[in-house]
Amino acid sequence: ELDCDGRPLVVYNIHLVSPRIDLDQMRGLGFPVLLLAPSSTRYGPVRDKLKERWAERMETVRQLEELMRQETLPTIAVGDFNFPDHGRSYHTMAANWNDAFAECGRGYGCTMTDATR
């Protein structure tokens, strides 16, 4: 909780776990094959682990959104959400929160860029 010109403001600094490791594991496997592979194949355990981790990630997003929604003071969430502006994670948050980047940002929204540009 911060004092913002004499008024309280609740700030959540968020860095959700990146799905990059999961996406890297899928590289070269073929996304449709991975989705449709029976558990008995060599792709099955990879698919099952991915599904488990994505479900855990979605649950984290749901819990975060619920926690923030219970705040009684003005609230802002900042940080690295590690999800694009489509999909369940984004829409779970966007159902009750405004996306400031969507309203006034542009591009990929990278916070660390090549300093030579």
Side-chain angles (χ1 to χ4, degrees):
E1 186 177 320
L2 301 175
D3 181 311
C4 186
D5 291 330
R7 294 180 296 192
L9 174 66
V10 175
V11 178
Y12 283 78
N13 183 5
I14 298 159
H15 189 160
L16 295 177
V17 174
S18 172
R20 187 169 316 277
I21 293 169
D22 297 331
L23 295 173
D24 285 346
Q25 287 182 355
M26 292 170 48
R27 186 175 290 141
L29 297 179
F31 192 67
V33 170
L34 187 62
L35 286 177
L36 301 173
S39 294
S40 60
T41 68
R42 69 182 180 121
Y43 301 113
V46 174
R47 187 209 53 227
D48 294 346
K49 187 63 176 173
L50 290 174
K51 285 173 65 175
E52 179 183 320
R53 287 218 287 253
W54 283 80
E56 289 171 359
R57 183 175 155 75
M58 191 63 219
E59 182 58 26
T60 299
V61 170
R62 280 192 204 100
Q63 289 174 0
L64 172 63
E65 198 282 327
E66 176 65 25
L67 183 67
M68 290 172 45
R69 200 164 11 102
Q70 291 176 17
E71 293 290 348
T72 58
L73 298 172
T75 303
I76 187 171
V78 299
D80 190 344
F81 289 86
N82 275 312
F83 52 70
D85 62 354
H86 55 280
R88 290 190 315 171
S89 296
Y90 178 84
H91 291 293
T92 296
M93 294 299 290
N96 293 299
W97 300 91
N98 294 329
D99 180 348
F101 185 79
E103 292 183 25
C104 63
R106 62 184 171 84
Y108 290 109
C110 297
T111 54
M112 301 288 287
T113 59
D114 184 346
T116 61
R117 289 190 231 169

